[in-house]
Structure formats: structure tokens, C-alpha cells
Amino acid sequence: MDEKQLVSKVINGSDSAIRLLISKYERLVIHMVARVVADDMDREELCQDIFLKIIDKLSTFHFDSKLSTWIATIAYRTAVNFAKKKRLDQVDLEQVEFKVGSEAEITEEEDMKRFILKLVDQLPVHYKTVLTLFYLDGFSYPEIVEITEMPEGTVKNYIHRARQKLKEIVEHQASREVALI
């Protein structure tokens, strides 16, 4: 089913289309919210609210952009507005759990991804948001501009600065581990 058919069926109230829409874009919405909101309970509730908002406003979507870009925009703006209300400028790192090897089936690659995401969580909100959109979600610069309403130069600058800051964090982490050996 293509995007136009999916949107049409969701607008017409098809439960299976709504489930398909949620399953198809759930990861994207979770990524957007997780980059801005620290608390797990807040994230879960916010993701539910976002999907209700998406379903409610889907009739206003006119395919001027990709559906994923439109959904990411709603998720990002809703998360940022929520964070502003909670007066959160950055994610509190002590609230972020990092589980390595908690289950036998977790592979080394999954551990590395979690480690990298923990490092990314140490970045300021705007840096980690654009970095996540670009590298994890695969959005282009113009799509990120549309989602975040930041100028393209700012998006590129934030991605560059985020990579530099991430490199500094990794170097600091590595020097701490060498000191422990």
C-alpha cells in the first residue's frame, strides 16, 4: 500500500490502516521524542499523544513533502513544546539507563549502538536532534530544515559541531578508560 492509499484509509477510519501507520512510523516518532525528552513515562505518553495528533491532522496533509517528514515535524515540535513546558534544556544523563549485555542475545553491535546513543545523549538537544535525523533516520538537509524550522546553514553547522563535540566526548571517555587500566 502506498502512502496516498494509507493516508486515505486512515482518514476514513480503517483500524488496520491506523495500525499500519503506527507500526511504520513508530520508530521515527520514538527517535524524535527520545532526543528531546528524558523521562521514559513522559516519552511513552508523548508518543501516544503524537500519534493521536497525526491521525487527527492527517486530512491536512497534502503530500507537499514525504509523509515521514511531516510526521517527524509533528513529533519534533510536540516534543520541543513539551520540553519547554517542563523547562528542560537538556536531557538529564542520570535518568538515561545504559544496559550492556543485560540479555544473552544482545550482540556486540547492539551494545555499541547503545553506547553511541548514550554518547549522543550527552550533546545539547539541538545537536543530538539534527545528528539523529541525519544519521539515524536518514533525512536530507532540506527535510531537517522543514522538520526543525532551522535555516539550512544552522542545520549543517549543528551537525558539524555535534560531530566535533562527539569526538571530544569519545576522546575524553577513551582517556578515562586508559587511566583505569
Side-chain angles (χ1 to χ4, degrees), residues 24-48:
K24 187 172 181 179
Y25 296 103
E26 180 178 36
R27 181 182 161 272
L28 172 63
V29 169
I30 290 170
H31 273 287
M32 297 305 302
V33 171
R35 297 295 141 243
V36 180
V37 178
D39 184 70
D40 289 338
M41 298 265 298
D42 288 340
R43 287 180 189 172
E44 187 176 325
E45 189 174 322
L46 197 54
C47 286
Q48 292 172 6

Side-chain angles (χ1 to χ4, degrees), residues 149-164:
E149 294 185 328
M150 295 178 199
E152 187 169 328
T154 302
V155 169
K156 289 178 180 179
N157 190 338
Y158 280 2
I159 289 173
H160 175 73
R161 287 183 183 178
R163 285 190 299 229
Q164 284 181 319

Side-chain angles (χ1 to χ4, degrees), residues 13-136:
S14 166
D15 289 340
S16 62
I18 291 171
R19 283 192 298 276
L20 179 61
L21 176 84
I22 292 170
S23 69
K24 187 172 181 179
Y25 296 103
E26 180 178 36
R27 181 182 161 272
L28 172 63
V29 169
I30 290 170
H31 273 287
M32 297 305 302
V33 171
R35 297 295 141 243
V36 180
V37 178
D39 184 70
D40 289 338
M41 298 265 298
D42 288 340
R43 287 180 189 172
E44 187 176 325
E45 189 174 322
L46 197 54
C47 286
Q48 292 172 6
D49 291 346
I50 288 167
F51 274 109
L52 290 174
K53 188 180 284 190
I54 288 167
I55 292 166
D56 185 50
K57 296 191 178 293
L58 202 54
S59 62
T60 66
F61 178 64
H62 300 293
F63 296 94
D64 297 332
S65 62
K66 292 195 303 190
L67 182 59
S68 60
T69 303
W70 184 78
I71 289 173
T73 302
I74 291 172
Y76 174 75
R77 290 180 186 161
T78 304
V80 167
N81 288 338
F82 176 85
K84 283 179 183 175
K85 286 179 188 171
K86 287 276 204 165
R87 296 185 186 158
L88 295 176
D89 294 331
Q90 284 186 304
V91 172
D92 182 1
L93 293 175
E94 293 177 7
Q95 292 180 358
V96 177
E97 289 186 30
F98 179 54
K99 299 175 185 173
V100 177
S102 60
E103 297 175 307
E105 65 269 2
I106 295 179
T107 66
E108 190 174 313
E109 184 178 320
E110 289 170 330
D111 288 344
M112 183 57 74
K113 285 179 185 176
R114 285 193 177 108
F115 178 72
I116 291 169
L117 286 175
K118 183 174 188 280
L119 294 178
V120 169
D121 277 341
Q122 295 179 41
L123 298 172
V125 172
H126 290 308
Y127 287 3
K128 67 183 167 185
T129 299
V130 295
L131 202 66
T132 301
L133 286 170
F134 189 74
Y135 287 109
L136 296 179

